[in-house]
Amino acid sequence: MLPQLCFFVSIAFGFIAWGIITARYIWPKLRLRQRAEALQPLLILHSFRFIGLAFLIPGVVSADLPSAFAHSAAYGDIVAATLALLSLASLPRGVGVVIAWIFNLWGSADLLNAFYRANDAGLMAGQLGATYFIPTLVVPLLLITHGLAFRILLQHQSESAMRESWQPGEVTGEGLSSGGP
């Protein structure tokens, strides 16, 4: 199989696997929480985006990794990580929610921009070196959790996501949960 095809198949499988994990385990837990509380684990996850700085480290990536891609991805990630931490530190106050919106818009755009720049620069999978796991394993999870964060942010603050997600036939009430184990 061609290396580029393996790379794209790996990204696709990353989205499939993380989508299943999110649908079965992450969302059922987050939907029961209020907005600020539901955002916290997502923001903590995104605080690890400093790992994108690895795109700038010679020897970790190939010397011929396109610098337009590497710099954009690395610096975009460190800004996203900083915004995630600022939002986390200021939740549940209103300013934390505002920063969460800024983080989520920036972080989503940054990841989509990285895909665009990689394609535009003709990036080859082998140029990523040891950072190959970032677009194949980490980025799918980050994009999916950005989607969750948008869903949570769009909900009214006093409503839990559970009310919006309630299905006929589910048991709800004090002390009862409708989700799985």
Side-chain angles (χ1 to χ4, degrees):
M1 191 181 292
L2 299 172
Q4 283 303 99
L5 182 57
C6 289
F7 181 57
F8 293 120
V9 168
S10 295
I11 292 170
F13 270 82
F15 275 106
I16 293 166
W18 283 121
I20 292 168
I21 290 168
T22 301
R24 291 190 62 137
Y25 302 105
I26 298 172
W27 179 243
K29 299 295 183 189
L30 294 182
R31 72 184 188 143
L32 301 173
R33 299 177 178 189
Q34 295 297 321
R35 179 165 55 184
E37 188 182 348
L39 285 171
Q40 288 174 350
L42 302 178
L43 292 166
I44 291 168
L45 171 69
H46 284 269
S47 72
F48 284 91
R49 285 180 68 169
F50 65 84
I51 196 93
L53 290 173
F55 290 125
L56 301 177
I57 302 174
V60 174
V61 296
S62 173
D64 63 347
L65 181 70
S67 63
F69 163 78
H71 287 92
S72 176
Y75 295 125
D77 277 349
I78 198 67
V79 169
T82 302
L83 288 169
L85 288 170
L86 285 172
S87 179
L88 187 63
S90 57
L91 280 175
R93 295 183 310 272
V95 70
V97 174
V98 170
I99 297 170
W101 268 106
I102 295 167
F103 151 74
N104 211 40
L105 290 167
W106 173 272
S108 300
D110 172 57
L111 293 172
L112 296 173
N113 181 53
F115 276 119
Y116 169 78
R117 287 192 181 258
N119 186 54
D120 189 52
L123 184 133
M124 301 299 291
Q127 294 173 311
L128 292 168
T131 64
Y132 179 87
F133 75 94
I134 295 174
T136 59
L137 180 68
V138 178
V139 170
L141 174 62
L142 295 177
L143 280 171
I144 288 170
T145 55
H146 272 299
L148 288 180
F150 278 122
R151 184 170 183 178
I152 292 164
L153 286 165
L154 289 169
Q155 294 172 354
H156 188 272
Q157 181 152 347
S158 65
E159 293 179 357
S160 71
M162 186 179 107
R163 291 183 190 154
E164 181 182 356
S165 298
W166 182 80
Q167 301 289 324
E170 287 184 333
V171 178
T172 58
E174 287 295 316
L176 301 174
S177 75
S178 59

